[in-house]
Amino acid sequence: GQLGIASFGEDMNLLHPFNTPFTSESGVNVVSNFRFDAKRTKTALCVESSIASLEGASSVSSSMQLVFMISDGRIERDSRSKLRRLIRQMAEKNMLMVMIIVEGEEKESASKGNDSILNMKEVSFVNGKPKIKHFIEDYPFPYYLVVGDLASLPEILGDCLRQWFEMLAQIQAQG
């Protein structure tokens, strides 16, 4: 397989193209370009750009493609329906998007408190009456996981890749 890496915020920036071998130098370049200082994250634009990048990578010949999106998981309320449509479009093109929500070490205790995305609530109004529900209740990403300890991220990514390869092997055995 091949590896592509991008950063996103207001827009998506391809840091490591698919057709370039991943080396220690490219790893340093990728890490040095992650800033985590975007004022706003346009999640739907990132997903659209991911689809375009995967489609544009003509050398990527796998029948199925895997995308990890690493984020704080907070998305714009008004983009949820568009994100659902984009995720369905990805599935139709044999692309699987996994949202990895990082709450980080500074929020280590957040998973037990209201700061965790799992505990966040939002209010909407139905027929003029308030309705309270959990933020994650109608989350547009069907495949997501919440990471509370940033140091465990490499192990989690490794486990996800292992499961991905097992899934591909099962699909090939059935077909």
Side-chain angles (χ1 to χ4, degrees), residues 6 9 18 31 59 61 65 71 86 92 100 102 113 115 130 143 145-146 164-165 173:
F18 286 104
V31 171
S59 60
S61 61
Q65 297 166 319
S71 168
L86 289 168
E92 291 167 3
I100 299 176
V102 177
D115 289 344
Y143 302 103
L145 57 108
V146 179
W164 171 254
F165 290 127

Side-chain angles (χ1 to χ4, degrees), residues 25-99:
E25 292 84 27
S26 57
V28 169
N29 181 50
V30 165
V31 171
S32 68
N33 279 293
F34 282 135
R35 303 260 189 266
F36 304 102
D37 60 357
K39 301 286 185 227
R40 181 173 181 224
T41 301
K42 295 181 179 177
T43 309
L45 177 65
C46 176
V47 173
E48 286 175 327
S49 298
S50 297
I51 294 169
S53 292
L54 289 168
E55 290 176 334
S58 60
S59 60
V60 178
S61 61
S62 173
S63 62
M64 296 187 78
Q65 297 166 319
L66 177 63
V67 177
F68 290 125
M69 179 182 287
I70 303 172
S71 168
D72 67 1
R74 279 120 176 114
I75 55 173
E76 308 89 1
R77 159 113 327 265
D78 59 346
S79 69
R80 286 185 182 216
S81 59
K82 182 176 185 176
L83 282 166
R84 279 189 200 87
R85 188 177 85 268
L86 289 168
I87 297 300
R88 274 192 310 273
Q89 181 182 357
M90 290 182 84
E92 291 167 3
K93 297 178 181 199
N94 288 326
M95 299 172 188
L96 176 66
M97 170 79 69
V98 177
M99 171 66 86

Side-chain angles (χ1 to χ4, degrees), residues 84-166:
R84 279 189 200 87
R85 188 177 85 268
L86 289 168
I87 297 300
R88 274 192 310 273
Q89 181 182 357
M90 290 182 84
E92 291 167 3
K93 297 178 181 199
N94 288 326
M95 299 172 188
L96 176 66
M97 170 79 69
V98 177
M99 171 66 86
I100 299 176
I101 301 167
V102 177
E103 295 197 327
E105 295 162 350
E106 69 277 356
K107 294 184 181 178
E108 201 168 288
S109 61
S111 60
K112 296 182 181 93
N114 289 335
D115 289 344
S116 173
I117 195 167
L118 298 173
N119 296 328
M120 286 175 44
K121 293 181 181 174
E122 58 188 2
V123 177
S124 60
F125 291 90
V126 179
N127 297 325
K129 295 184 180 185
K131 180 181 177 186
I132 299 172
K133 65 180 178 180
H134 283 93
F135 177 81
I136 206 85
E137 197 172 307
D138 68 340
Y139 205 59
F141 295 93
Y143 302 103
Y144 69 89
L145 57 108
V146 179
V147 178
D149 179 13
L150 198 55
S152 66
L153 188 58
E155 182 179 347
I156 288 169
L157 289 173
D159 285 344
C160 287
L161 284 172
R162 180 186 50 77
Q163 290 175 23
W164 171 254
F165 290 127
E166 287 173 1

